[in-house]
Structure formats: C-alpha cells, structure tokens
Amino acid sequence: MSAAVAVEAKNVSKIFGAGPGEVRALDNVSVTIQQNEFFTLLGPSGCGKTTLLRLIAGFEMPTEGSILLEGEEVAHLPPFKRHVNTVFQSYALFPHMTVAQNIAFGLEMLGKPKAEVQSTVSAMLKLVRMEELKDRRTSQISGGQQQRVALARALAPRPKVLLLDEPLSALDLKLRKEMQIELKRMQLETGITFIFVTHDQEEALTMSDRIAVMSKGKILQIGSPTEIYEHPTVRFVADFIGETNFIEAEVMQRIGSDGQIKLPSGIVISHPLGENVGVGAKVTLAIRPERIDLVRPGTEAHLSGTVENIVYFGTDTTFHVELEGSQQEVTVRVQNRRGHQEVLKAGDTVGMRIAPEAMQILKD
Amino acid sequence: MAEAAPVKPTTPKKWGRGFDVRKQTGFTTIAMICFLMLYAPILTLVAYSFNAGTSVAIWEGFSWRWYESAWANVQVQDASIRSLTIAAFAAVVSTVVATMAALATTRTKPFPGLTFIYAFINQPLMVPEIVTGVALLIFFAAIKVATGYTGLGYLLIAHTAFCIPFAYLPIRARLENMDLSLERAAADLYATPFKTFRHVTLPLLWPGILAGGMLAFVISLDDVVITELVKSGGQDTLPTYMLGQLRRIVTPEMNAISSVFLAISIVMVTIFFLLNRKKT
Amino acid sequence: MAEGKAAHPAASHRPASTFAAQAAAAADRRETRGRWLLSAPALLILLFAAIGPLVIVVIYSFLKKGGYGGVEWEFSTDAWFSVVFTKDIFSDAVTLADAHMSILWRSVKLSFFTTVMALVFGFPTAYFIATRNEKSRDLWLFLITIPFWTNLLIRTFAVMEVIRNEGIVNSILQGLGLIDAPIQILFTDFAVMMGLLYVYLPLMVLPLYASMERIDFRLVEAGYDLYATRWHVLRRVIFPLVKPGVIAGSILVFIPSLGAYVTPRVLGGGRNLMLGNLIEMQFGQGRNWPLGAALSITLMAIVMIALLFYVKNASNTEARHG
C-alpha cells in the first residue's frame, strides 16, 4: 500500500499574516493521494485548496506538518528540487518563447541531452495535438491552445505528480467540456498522478477518481464522486455539491445499527444510524430533488404538501412543494421523459415517495 | 465619435452633425495653437541651420556650410566626445544599479525600509537641479582640495546619480506588470533561481532595461545646470559649450549643432516610446 | 535573485514556540537583507553624489564665508541673516535685502504666472488629446512628449532666436507694417515667462492627460441629460474629475520654474535674474558660499512646501474617491 502512495500531507497547517489579522488557510489537514489517481480538491474560493496545492508544489512552506512525496519529506524543498509540475491557472506560459521552447524548458533545466529533449517535446506536442503550432509564440495561440501547451510543458519532465490549479476556469463552456475529457484521457495515457483544484462541482464529479471536499481550511469528506454525491456525510458537502433538500427528523427508537426515524409528516421509517445518535435526537436528512417521486394524494407516501411553484427547465421540471404541517419547502425534480405534461398546477396537493437509500443522515 | 444627442436638439441647424458630448468650445483651437507654439521655434531653429548667410533671421539660401564648420570646430568635437562619454558611462552604470534596485523593490510585500529606498532613489527628481549642482560643487571642491584629483570622475559620478531615477522608473514599471507566476513556473520546471533570472526574468525585463538606459542617456546628454557647476576647467560638454557661446553673437553654427542634438534626442525618444508601447 | 521565488506571506507570525514559524521569520529577515543588498549600489551612488552633499549644504549655510570663495570653519548665522537683510557698512543699519527680495519675488511671481498660463494652454490641449480616438491619441501624445525630452537649452535657444530683435517675430511684425521698430521682448520678465512656459508646458499636459484619459464620458452624457450646458459640464463634471491632474501638473510646472537657471540666464540677460541665478552667482569667483548655501536651502524649503501641499491634496482626493 505504502509503495503506491504518491503524495501524503500529514497534519498540515498554513497560517498567513500574523497577530489578529492572521488567516489560517489550512487547519491540520491530512490526506493521502494514491499513485495514478485523478484526485480533486473541491471547495469554494478561500477554502484552502489552492494553498494545499501550492504547498505540494513548493511555492509555500507549511507552518506546521509535513508533506511527503513518494515517502520522502519535501515540505522545505524549493519548487525546483521537487519532481512535481504545475499547470497554472493563468497558464504562465513564457511569452518570449515559442510553443516548443516552452515545452522544452523543464527538460533543459534538468540538463537532459538534446536528442532526448527533442524527442520528448515532439511526443508531448503529439499528445496535446499541437504539432502544427510548435513554432508559434504563445501570444499567438488561442486560450484553449495555451491550455494544451501549459499541460504539455508540465507533463514533459514526466513529474511524479501533476498539479492543476483551476486550469479550465478561463475557458468557455464548450471548450471546458472538451478539455475535461482530454485531461482524463491524458491522465490515463500517461499514468501520472493528477491533483486537480477546482470550485466547479460538475468538473470534479466528471473527472475524478476521488474528491476531497474542503471548506474553511479543512477537508470535510474524501470519497469517490458517487460517494460524495450520493452519501454526503456533512451538511456542507451535501449543500455544496448539487441541490439538496434538508429535512429535519427525530430519532424515535434504535434497534442495533438501525433507527426508527419520524419524518415531519409523522410517518416513521427505518434507517441505518450513526453510533453516536441517541433516541430523541434531531437529525437532518439530505435528499436529492431527483430522488423524490411525486404521487397522487392519498396513495402511500413519506411526505405530503402543496405545490407552490412549477419551473420548466426543458429536460426536466422542478416543483417547489411546501410540506404539510411545516413552512419548509422541498424541491422535487422530475424528468420530462415523455414530454412535459401539465397534470399538476400550483395549489395542488401531492404526496412524495422517497427510496430509503436516497435519504442520507448528516452528522450535523 | 458623434454620439446621438441626449438633449433634445432645439435648433436642428446647430446640432445638424450630431451632438458630440466630448466637444468643448474653443478647446481644439487652443490645442492647435499649443502645438504650433511648441514646434514653431524648433522648426525655425532647424530651418536656419541650413542658412547660407551668417544671420539666424534672414534667409539667404540653402547650404550645409554650418554643419561643416561645426564638424570642423575642434571645441565642438571635444565637447561632443566628452558629452557622449559621460552619457554612455552614466547610462550604463545607472541602468545596472537601477535594475538591481528595481528588482529589489518590486513584487514584494512591504519590508522594513522599502519606502525609504523609494524616497532615496526618487530624491533627485524632487530637488531643484541648481540645488543639487551647488551641493555637488561644494562637496567636490572639498575633495579636489583634499586629493588634488580634477579629472572627469566628478562629472561621471554626478551624472550617474541623477540618471538613476530616470533609469529606475521604466524598469520598475515593466517589472510591476510582469507576473510572478512566470518565475514560479520556471522554478516549478526545475530552474534554479539563477537560471530563472537568466532565462525568464532578464529576457522579459529587457525592453524596460533598454528604455531606462535610453532615458538615462538622453537625460545625461541634456544636462546643463549640474554640469556647469561641477565641471573643472576645460571640461565643457556640448550643452555647457553652447551655453557659453550664447553670450556671443550667435551664428547658424549653433543651429546646426542644436539640430543634430535634436535629431539624436528624437531618435532616442522614439525608440523609448516604441519600447514602452510594445508591452501593452 | 530573491524575487524569482514566491514571497512568503507567512511573515513574522510566531504561534509561540513553533519552529516552523521561527524559520519563516528568519527567512523573511534573510529576504529583507537580500533586497537591501541589491539596492545598495544605487543607494550608495545617490548618497555620495546627490543626497550626502545636500547635508553639506546645510552645514555650509551656518559657516563664515572665506576670503576667496569657500568657507571658514566657524559657526555663523551671517548667511541666513543676509538672505533677508542687509547691514549698511557705515551705519550698521539693518534693512531688508532689496536685491534678494526682488529676485525672490520675481521667481515666485514668474513661476506662478507660468503655471497659470500652462494651465490655460495645457488644459484644452490635454482635453483635445484625451478625446481623440485611440490611434491618433498616441501620436498627439508623442508630439507633446518630444519637446519634453529634447534639450532644454536648445529649446530655450529656439525661443531666443524667435523673439530677439532681429528674430522672426519682429521681422514678421515689421514686414506686415504693424510696428516700425522691433519690440524689445528678449531680456524682459515676459521673455523669461514665455521661455518657462515653453519648456515646461509638456509637464502640465502629461498629468492632465493622464487624469482625463480615465474620464468616463457617460458621466458627461449624464450631465447633458440633466440640462447642463457645455460650460456647466466642464466646470461641474469634468473639472472636479481631473482636479488631481490639475494639481499634479501645477506642481510639476511650478517647482522647476522656481529653480530655473538656464531659461532666465539665456532669456533674461543679466538683469532679470531668478533664484537659481542668484544662487549660482554666489559660487562665482570669490563670492559668498554660505549665502549661496542658505539660498539653496530656502529654495528647497519652498519646493518641499509645494510638494507637501500636493501630497496632502492628492491623499485628500484619494480619500474622497474611496
């Protein structure tokens, strides 16, 4: 197991500034990233994800803790002594060099023989499909092409880990989608560990093997995209990724690891419970809008309420339903599989049915 | 240019060509007078440098004679060579030290003494030239008495000093527009600090250094006041030589020298202008 | 080169004992020292040949004048006394030093009028440039910059040739029959002011242009929309917006005018001296060095006051604009 670890951060803290104005950008963060993994650091701006990336790259030194690269402590090595390369958010391509010279730069700095530099550069140009533009200045190519050059430049020295700092944020939507697929392809082709920083949850879900969701300098949850999306453990994760309904419920009884939970409608369901949740505790259930089925009133349902508002989105329709007995609003999304049917209208009473596995109990 | 009138046009005739919000009555006329005022004397001066007669007011036909006589004038030759030597030395030295200072004082979080260094470097811009000149006169007079040295060194160091802020400003401006992420990228790609400087910082900074050097050269070449006060006997530069000549009856030879001087300055400034524009 | 590296904003924070924080603080100190070392050559040259000598000037102003120029190393306030007063050689009666006062007054007066005239001509010119389209704007700006960087002596010489009795202005006026005999323009206060205006006008136009370039002309549209006339728009909308440029330009013209040496010497002849010439005269053959030093400091004091006024106004304007 330990042989397959690419990067390990142990109890890393990073403090900027001093005294009352100090900012704790990272707060005792530990994470292990496997070799050949596409690992994403996801979170809103200011959550510490970029700081963690810069610590791994060597642009910042940790205030506390250590950073191991394939088992070796690197926390206090300068960037040019770490076998890690970065794709910068602004690409940071050298404007006074051509595309090919940019890609060759790292290899030349490592003192590789000319022949090797040349063959690697042409291999890289091929990998990112930029062979024809190799003699252009970097200011003479488009944003998407600059992105590819930045990638090739960082991949050329075959780093142990490639760090990507929101590299797609400057691209338009269509190009971004293309590059997401490209990036994934390159990661598979090269077999290099990718650590990808983004605030875009969709980007994280489509590309990653594993995602670490960060907030306020801490990692809240690490898991595969499905785990993160289907089984968020904390409210922040559930809220940040996708749309979620939060429904308050009460624990009535425990039988082993299962609990009897009373929904606001008064209906009691059975659901696995965490160990430290006792009888009488209030819990929050996270339920994705698309996991709720609307049923006719009167049929068997978990919740019921009144349709407040209907919004048509083309592929699907969103219903805002006010729960019976409480002021809370629940969002329900229904796919328009057979075309939009105006069966329901505002003011109608509906029942809502939810599969037990679609209800996720949050820690707080 | 001509935006549609936001005010209802009351007299269609007057606003017939559209209402230009940028226009201010009479401003264009004054601006034209200004440009005319700026260039008329210079152009007259250049024109009379080609005068065949000895007058700088009565045109007597075209001739190169004053350029020839200036070229043959030993004093002019001597002063020109001295001017160019001083300017070249001052430009090179001031640009080198200004580049180092600019690297030290840009792209950093404030550090103790940063403001002090700024103030120190820009000081020659704040003090009237005559005061600096007098100060140097007093100081160098004392050194001359103490050491007996009366060579060109005084002028060289004086020119270098007042050229520093002029070299510093364009270099600093260029550096501030340079993204640190490029140097980070180089470090990330295994370039040591020295190699980063050599392969990334220096090539990118080069136009700024060139512009700074050019500016320093022109500033040194143009100086009259400080040179006049600092120079020892027989150390005339071209401007101080000209200043001395202005007391006498002026022949078009002065116009010829001035015209050549102007041409050099304009070429340098044009290059400076183009260098500075390229970065945007 | 330290700046090749990422700055370490960890700064001097020490959560008490942590070793890492101490290491960061030490790295910071090292970086500061490196930056000082890199600036050192420039600072040393300036200390030797620009700033240090100024201190000597202050010292000299408190010494006794030497017999053949230079000084005697003896404390004396004579120089400062004679900046403002003269003592009658026979009666010891103290009177105001008329010669100095009139030169000081002329310097301030001419500098002031030069500044006002520069504003009158410079404002419309800067406005004209700022309202051109992007391409021709560069060209006009270049035309303003060229005289600025060409030799001051040559430009003064050019003015001299134009206004001298046999010069082109008098020739044209005579040719047109407007005057019979040439008007004496050269060697008057007016000539000096013309010369100063001519050489320092670009210094007014450039900062004015810089502040006008940023004007959002939608504000001007809004002004017209609210029934303002052109004059109102100029006075109530444009002028307040470019006030920092007006102040900067005025300072940039006023200060060098006050210390002018070449222009009054060439255009004022021997009679219409300004402070710069008065100072220089004290260092001629066997003159009064301490007085020259005291006058230099007086000039610098006026300049500093003007600069402080500028800094104060600039920061006020900035504070108001957020």
Side-chain angles (χ1 to χ4, degrees):
Chain A
M1 179 73 183
S2 73
V5 171
V7 177
E8 191 175 0
K10 277 187 190 162
N11 308 104
V12 170
S13 291
K14 176 70 188 174
I15 296 164
F16 290 113
E22 72 167 40
V23 178
R24 199 169 266 269
L26 284 178
D27 192 359
N28 199 18
V29 166
S30 295
V31 60
T32 305
I33 297 160
Q34 311 294 331
Q35 271 180 23
N36 208 356
E37 197 174 18
F38 197 121
F39 192 90
T40 299
L41 299 170
L42 173 66
S45 64
C47 72
K49 56 189 193 301
T50 298
T51 306
L52 183 54
L53 196 79
R54 290 164 62 82
L55 283 168
I56 298 170
F59 300 126
E60 310 279 1
M61 306 288 164
T63 314
E64 276 161 357
S66 57
I67 288 166
L68 306 176
L69 184 59
E70 294 194 344
E72 265 178 74
E73 172 69 68
V74 294
H76 293 280
L77 285 183
F80 57 91
K81 288 189 180 157
R82 301 186 190 199
H83 216 73
V84 166
N85 291 138
T86 308
V87 177
F88 293 84
Q89 184 170 12
S90 60
Y91 311 145
L93 296 178
F94 304 124
H96 56 302
M97 298 179 192
T98 63
V99 167
Q101 284 168 335
N102 262 281
I103 298 173
F105 189 86
L107 297 161
E108 281 166 0
M109 290 300 122
L110 284 172
K112 299 275 188 226
K114 263 218 171 85
E116 190 190 328
V117 173
Q118 268 180 4
S119 67
T120 313
V121 168
S122 37
M124 283 299 139
L125 284 166
K126 201 171 160 206
L127 179 73
V128 296
R129 297 171 188 150
M130 289 284 294
E131 292 113 312
E132 273 148 47
L133 299 174
K134 70 181 164 71
D135 292 323
R136 288 273 189 94
R137 287 273 168 151
T138 53
S139 52
Q140 298 166 327
I141 56 178
S142 72
Q145 290 165 338
Q146 288 181 3
Q147 163 76 80
R148 286 157 189 276
V149 177
L151 249 166
R153 186 179 71 174
L155 283 170
R158 272 210 75 81
K160 289 173 178 162
V161 177
L162 184 75
L163 307 174
L164 302 106
D165 184 6
E166 308 220 15
L168 307 182
S169 59
L171 303 179
D172 62 46
L173 184 69
K174 190 162 169 283
L175 213 50
R176 197 154 67 220
K177 298 265 183 216
E178 277 176 34
M179 278 311 288
Q180 287 175 8
I181 298 163
E182 281 278 275
L183 271 178
K184 189 70 194 168
R185 171 181 71 88
M186 281 177 218
Q187 196 255 333
L188 292 172
E189 264 178 48
T190 57
I192 290 172
T193 311
F194 277 32
I195 303 180
F196 187 88
V197 159
T198 184
H199 63 265
D200 182 338
Q201 36 133 342
E202 194 191 314
E203 214 165 86
L205 292 174
T206 47
M207 289 191 286
S208 319
D209 295 323
R210 284 198 304 154
I211 299 171
V213 183
M214 295 185 69
S215 169
K216 294 179 183 162
K218 289 183 197 274
I219 293 182
L220 298 179
Q221 189 177 355
I222 302 179
S224 68
T226 29
E227 271 166 9
I228 296 278
Y229 187 79
E230 306 275 341
H231 306 294
T233 54
V234 291
R235 192 182 181 115
F236 180 87
V237 175
D239 202 19
F240 186 70
I241 296 162
E243 219 180 324
T244 308
N245 293 301
F246 296 105
I247 290 167
E248 304 297 327
E250 195 183 339
V251 180
M252 304 302 288
Q253 204 184 346
R254 275 192 87 110
I255 308 157
S257 65
D258 273 13
Q260 297 292 316
I261 295 164
K262 192 172 121 191
L263 299 175
S265 57
I267 289 166
V268 176
I269 55 155
S270 167
H271 200 276
L273 265 185
E275 274 169 26
N276 48 0
V277 187
V279 173
K282 297 272 183 204
V283 291
T284 305
L285 294 172
I287 305 163
R288 300 286 181 193
E290 71 274 17
R291 302 296 298 267
I292 303 175
D293 290 322
L294 292 179
V295 294
R296 275 175 217 294
T299 40
E300 194 188 322
H302 294 104
L303 300 165
S304 60
T306 316
V307 176
E308 285 283 301
N309 186 9
I310 303 172
V311 186
Y312 176 66
F313 276 108
T315 56
D316 46 42
T317 305
T318 298
F319 298 84
H320 297 279
V321 183
E322 193 178 293
L323 283 191
E324 205 179 331
S326 74
Q327 293 296 306
Q328 211 193 340
E329 203 180 76
V330 170
T331 307
V332 180
R333 192 175 306 133
V334 178
Q335 265 205 352
N336 299 325
R337 245 182 300 181
R338 285 180 291 267
H340 182 63
Q341 294 159 334
E342 285 185 43
V343 243
L344 282 171
K345 57 186 187 299
D348 285 355
T349 314
V350 286
M352 285 169 278
R353 202 181 285 162
I354 307 145
E357 72 274 10
M359 290 189 246
Q360 182 70 24
I361 293 183
L362 302 177
K363 272 184 198 149
D364 44 297
Chain B
M1 255 308 212
E3 271 96 338
V7 187
K8 280 121 217 103
T10 42
T11 41
K13 203 172 155 201
K14 192 172 177 190
W15 310 121
R17 282 187 296 155
F19 182 86
D20 184 354
V21 291
R22 290 156 179 260
K23 196 171 174 277
Q24 281 292 340
T25 317
F27 273 26
T28 307
T29 317
I30 300 177
M32 287 306 124
I33 292 173
C34 235
F35 282 109
L36 190 72
M37 241 168 52
L38 280 176
Y39 281 92
I42 296 179
L43 293 177
T44 314
L45 179 135
V46 174
Y48 277 96
S49 72
F50 296 106
N51 195 1
T54 49
S55 164
V56 288
I58 303 154
W59 182 253
E60 290 172 41
F62 181 90
S63 131
W64 289 99
R65 73 179 265 211
W66 298 111
Y67 286 87
E68 283 157 16
S69 84
W71 182 252
N73 185 330
V74 182
Q75 278 175 301
V76 173
Q77 286 172 8
D78 193 43
S80 303
I81 290 168
R82 194 172 293 108
S83 268
L84 290 173
T85 311
I86 296 172
F89 178 90
V92 170
V93 177
S94 66
T95 305
V96 170
V97 298
T99 305
M100 288 160 67
L103 284 166
T105 52
T106 46
R107 307 190 296 176
T108 168
K109 67 183 156 61
F111 62 88
L114 180 61
T115 325
F116 175 81
I117 297 177
Y118 276 153
F120 215 86
I121 288 175
N122 290 317
Q123 176 270 349
L125 300 177
M126 313 276 177
V127 179
E129 260 193 300
I130 185 80
V131 176
T132 309
V134 162
L136 290 172
L137 171 99
I138 295 175
F139 181 50
F140 290 161
I143 298 180
K144 279 177 197 172
V145 171
T147 64
Y149 172 72
T150 54
L152 207 58
Y154 300 107
L155 281 174
L156 293 178
I157 187 92
H159 277 239
T160 305
F162 69 70
C163 283
I164 286 175
F166 291 96
Y168 173 79
L169 290 174
I171 298 171
R172 189 185 138 187
R174 174 110 194 156
L175 263 173
E176 274 177 348
N177 282 328
M178 258 165 66
D179 198 346
L180 258 181
S181 73
L182 291 176
E183 274 111 329
R184 286 202 192 115
D188 188 62
L189 293 162
Y190 316 107
T192 57
F194 175 75
K195 280 186 176 167
T196 301
F197 180 74
R198 162 87 185 67
H199 293 290
V200 178
T201 314
L202 197 59
L204 291 173
L205 188 55
W206 193 242
I209 295 175
L210 223 54
M214 213 84 83
L215 211 53
F217 188 83
V218 172
I219 292 290
S220 164
L221 212 58
D222 283 358
D223 180 71
V224 190
V225 180
I226 292 175
T227 313
E228 176 78 2
L229 288 163
V230 169
K231 73 181 164 79
S232 306
Q235 287 187 345
D236 264 321
T237 61
L238 206 49
T240 63
Y241 167 77
M242 289 169 65
L243 185 66
Q245 292 299 303
L246 286 185
R247 291 190 181 140
R248 306 165 184 207
I249 295 166
V250 179
T251 64
E253 187 179 305
M254 287 290 286
N255 296 46
I257 301 168
S258 300
S259 302
V260 174
F261 217 126
L262 277 173
I264 294 172
S265 294
I266 289 171
V267 168
M268 300 284 264
V269 174
T270 310
I271 296 171
F272 173 81
F273 206 74
L274 292 176
L275 278 174
N276 257 359
R277 214 164 54 154
K278 227 177 165 183
K279 78 170 178 250
T280 46
Chain C
M1 306 276 119
E3 44 307 305
K5 316 246 17 80
H8 306 306
S12 52
H13 178 76
R14 285 152 235 116
S17 57
T18 65
F19 167 77
Q22 279 170 8
D28 259 26
R29 275 196 301 277
R30 261 200 313 281
E31 199 193 308
T32 301
R33 195 163 59 231
R35 287 179 182 274
W36 268 95
L37 276 176
L38 208 53
S39 316
L43 299 183
L44 284 177
I45 292 175
L46 286 166
L47 181 68
F48 182 78
I51 295 162
L54 288 179
V55 180
I56 299 174
V57 173
V58 177
I59 298 171
Y60 265 48
S61 73
F62 289 104
L63 295 177
K64 237 177 131 158
K65 76 169 188 162
Y68 306 93
V71 287
E72 278 173 34
W73 285 88
E74 206 177 301
F75 178 80
S76 161
T77 52
D78 283 359
W80 284 101
F81 180 81
S82 54
V83 168
V84 192
F85 304 108
T86 44
K87 208 182 259 183
D88 195 289
I89 316 169
F90 304 108
S91 66
D92 272 2
V94 173
T95 49
L96 227 61
D98 284 340
H100 295 175
M101 283 301 115
S102 73
I103 288 174
L104 190 66
W105 170 239
R106 177 185 294 119
S107 302
V108 173
K109 185 181 72 184
L110 288 183
S111 304
F112 176 77
F113 282 125
T114 304
T115 309
V116 172
M117 291 304 288
L119 195 56
V120 167
F121 282 98
F123 196 95
T125 308
Y127 190 86
F128 170 81
I129 300 174
T131 51
R132 295 307 95 188
N133 65 38
E134 301 237 346
K135 254 197 176 152
S136 57
R137 202 188 290 178
D138 268 2
L139 180 72
W140 288 111
L141 204 59
F142 183 56
L143 285 177
I144 282 287
T145 326
I146 285 187
F148 177 50
W149 290 119
T150 51
N151 193 313
L152 182 129
L153 176 65
I154 291 175
R155 282 186 291 148
T156 310
F157 172 49
V159 173
M160 179 182 159
E161 291 219 327
V162 169
I163 61 174
R164 63 198 297 160
N165 287 1
E166 314 80 47
I168 211 149
V169 169
N170 273 315
S171 308
I172 290 176
L173 289 179
Q174 275 177 300
L176 292 174
L178 291 172
I179 49 171
D180 299 328
I183 323 168
Q184 178 69 37
I185 309 174
L186 195 61
F187 307 143
T188 62
D189 277 2
F190 180 70
V192 176
M193 199 204 76
M194 284 274 293
L196 290 174
L197 175 64
Y198 182 69
V199 292
Y200 295 130
L201 185 60
L203 288 173
M204 177 64 87
V205 177
L206 292 174
L208 277 176
Y209 165 77
S211 59
M212 284 175 185
E213 192 200 10
R214 287 198 295 265
I215 293 185
D216 181 350
F217 274 92
R218 281 172 301 184
L219 295 176
V220 176
E221 282 179 14
Y224 284 124
D225 189 51
L226 296 165
Y227 316 111
T229 61
R230 286 204 197 274
W231 168 244
H232 282 134
V233 161
L234 184 65
R235 207 168 61 86
R236 301 283 294 279
V237 183
I238 297 175
F239 197 77
L241 286 173
V242 299
K243 206 177 148 212
V246 172
I247 296 171
S250 301
I251 293 287
L252 282 178
V253 172
F254 185 79
I255 288 180
S257 299
L258 201 62
Y261 168 76
V262 171
T263 310
R265 175 169 158 178
V266 173
L267 298 178
R271 289 170 297 151
N272 304 69
L273 298 180
M274 283 176 73
L275 208 43
N277 310 92
L278 183 62
I279 292 171
E280 193 261 353
M281 274 170 55
Q282 308 310 320
F283 294 91
Q285 324 79 339
R287 299 294 174 82
N288 193 339
W289 286 30
L291 175 60
L295 287 167
S296 300
I297 294 166
T298 310
L299 172 58
M300 232 171 77
I302 302 175
V303 167
M304 287 303 145
I305 291 167
L307 278 177
L308 281 178
F309 170 80
Y310 166 62
V311 170
K312 195 168 154 274
N313 266 283
S315 56
N316 277 353
T317 329
E318 233 166 72
R320 246 181 290 127
H321 290 291

